[in-house]
Amino acid sequence: MHGTPLNGEQMALHVGGYRISLDAKESEANLNFVSHAHSDHTGGVRKNSEILCSEITRDLLSTRVRYELKMVGTPGGVKLLNAGHMLGSKQLYVESDALGAVVYTGDYQMQMSPVAEGIEIKQADTLIIDSTYPFPNVVFEEKAEVITAMQHYIRSKMDIGSTLFGAYAMGKAQELIKICNDMGVTPIVDQPIARVSEVYSRHGVKLDYVERNLHEGIVYPDFSVPVWIVSMHRMDMVRANVAALGKRIFTGLATGFAMTQRFNTDVQFALSDHADFNQAVEYIEACRPRRIYTRGSGKDTFARNLKAAGYNAGQLGGHTEFAQLLAEEV
Ligand SMILES: [Zn+2]
């Protein structure tokens, strides 16, 4: 038995000689599972740390770190399953004599992303599941409907100006580029987005875009392009400069949080790369776990709402049974 203190966010699974951390810095881990390249899941990525992730995630992380990443092969008894969230995103699947099969989802989505692999779901005894959208009353529309609405908006503004999207450089920006490409539009993007998009293209997701170094002053000779996609913090700068050239510019955001928040843009679309509550239930029905542990910022609410729906759920860190998960050799 290992006498590890129980801590919901700092946790690890034991398999073979490994202690595997899950998307977070965990002081005693000797192998760090990184489900995908979003920065809130990369606490285990440090110089000289050994990481378990997909090759695509490794390549995406390499656009941000200066040191060489030490990637290890998948240990016996462990599988990586597609999570559907962004290109290269994986779930961790571990088979154990003591606990049966354990799955950790990280961020995941049930709907098919235009720029990611579809999700894989395996049955498991224990499920550790992400809690990004814990409320049953937040219901996403079909992604295809949201995309059609976005393309309609872009088209409706093309004759009178440009549309400027702010986006996370990793994942969301590539989805927006693909949505534009599918309607015959080649957007302008900034350098961080282009760096990530190049990795996507290298791994088979072909994207057409024009890269602009937005540090190089203010002259955008091709300001008549219909769509700009830039990192969030550049939105105001691009809006001001394009407007200064006498061109109308409409600002937009595409995020699932558009369901619950109003942002300071002309338009917002609830384009999410996560599962909503109903999709989480759909996942659980396919996975058929005997026990569920919720993880992430909404974990308390999510566990409560899953319990109310009849599932054996507890939040990670608040459940004594989880001590076993930490303590036993899996
Ligand atoms: Zn993510």
Side-chain angles (χ1 to χ4, degrees):
M1 294 286 283
H2 301 249
T4 314
L6 196 63
N7 179 324
E9 293 306 320
Q10 197 182 77
M11 58 158 297
L13 291 172
H14 295 260
V15 57
Y18 290 110
R19 182 183 167 96
I20 308 176
S21 70
L22 303 179
D23 278 345
K25 188 177 176 192
E26 207 275 341
S27 46
E28 291 171 40
N30 56 5
L31 181 56
N32 299 278
F33 173 60
V34 182
S35 63
H36 65 291
H38 284 153
S39 56
D40 54 335
H41 293 258
T42 56
V45 180
R46 298 181 305 280
K47 200 171 184 178
N48 296 324
S49 68
E50 300 208 311
I51 59 172
L52 173 62
C53 63
S54 67
E55 285 184 16
I56 297 170
T57 294
R58 189 263 324 269
D59 290 352
L60 290 168
L61 290 171
S62 296
T63 64
R64 283 206 308 246
V65 300
R66 292 178 184 277
Y67 48 86
E68 195 169 338
L69 293 162
K70 285 190 179 173
M71 198 176 151
V72 297
T74 311
V78 173
K79 288 191 180 77
L80 301 186
L81 307 173
N82 289 338
H85 172 63
M86 67 174 287
L87 195 66
S89 64
K90 296 288 182 182
Q91 308 166 75
L92 186 70
Y93 176 92
V94 176
E95 274 172 359
S96 91
D97 290 339
L99 292 155
V102 181
V103 169
Y104 163 64
T105 67
D107 292 347
Y108 69 100
Q109 73 172 325
M110 299 295 283
Q111 300 205 59
M112 189 72 199
S113 164
V115 288
E117 314 90 337
I119 191 167
E120 297 172 273
I121 303 176
K122 273 177 87 75
Q123 288 193 11
D125 301 289
T126 299
L127 171 65
I128 304 167
I129 189 168
D130 171 67
S131 309
T132 302
Y133 290 97
F135 296 103
N137 63 347
V138 173
V139 179
F140 295 140
E141 286 181 52
E142 287 282 328
K143 194 182 278 275
E145 300 289 337
V146 180
I147 290 172
T148 300
M150 292 177 70
Q151 291 172 331
H152 177 79
Y153 185 88
I154 291 167
R155 203 172 282 117
S156 73
K157 302 302 180 203
M158 273 159 73
D159 292 338
I160 50 175
S162 301
T163 304
L164 165 68
F165 284 102
Y168 295 117
M170 196 81 86
K172 187 53 68 76
Q174 289 68 41
E175 200 170 356
L176 294 180
I177 293 170
K178 184 72 168 66
I179 288 167
C180 290
N181 291 169
D182 286 349
M183 59 182 294
V185 168
T186 301
I188 285 185
V189 306
D190 65 8
Q191 280 186 315
I193 291 174
R195 264 203 302 277
V196 174
S197 302
E198 192 275 321
V199 177
Y200 269 62
S201 291
R202 203 175 342 133
H203 285 281
V205 179
K206 296 290 172 220
L207 299 169
D208 289 325
Y209 53 89
V210 175
E211 179 183 344
R212 282 284 169 273
N213 182 353
L214 297 178
H215 292 300
E216 277 181 1
I218 292 168
V219 182
Y220 307 134
D222 44 6
F223 69 91
S224 62
V225 294
V227 181
W228 296 70
I229 303 168
V230 302
S231 308
M232 296 285 193
H233 67 277
R234 296 223 168 87
M235 278 187 90
D236 286 344
M237 190 262 279
V238 173
R239 173 166 49 187
N241 286 310
V242 174
L245 291 166
K247 184 87 175 171
R248 283 190 74 183
I249 190 149
F250 303 89
T251 55
L253 279 182
T255 166
F257 294 111
M259 293 295 292
T260 53
Q261 294 173 50
R262 186 69 186 94
F263 295 95
N264 185 28
T265 52
D266 294 314
V267 69
Q268 56 186 48
F269 298 96
L271 183 77
S272 179
D273 300 319
H274 291 269
D276 63 12
F277 186 87
N278 289 343
Q279 290 170 43
V281 167
E282 192 187 323
Y283 180 103
I284 290 164
E285 288 296 320
C287 177
R288 304 172 66 85
R290 287 192 283 124
R291 50 191 169 251
I292 300 166
Y293 298 99
T294 57
R295 188 161 194 228
S297 56
K299 65 179 189 283
D300 298 358
T301 308
F302 192 35
R304 201 165 54 241
N305 288 329
L306 283 175
K307 258 187 178 157
Y311 295 104
N312 179 20
Q315 72 273 30
L316 211 49
H319 198 299
T320 50
E321 194 183 4
F322 187 68
Q324 280 189 304
L325 255 189
L326 281 167
E328 292 178 35
E329 280 291 334
V330 174

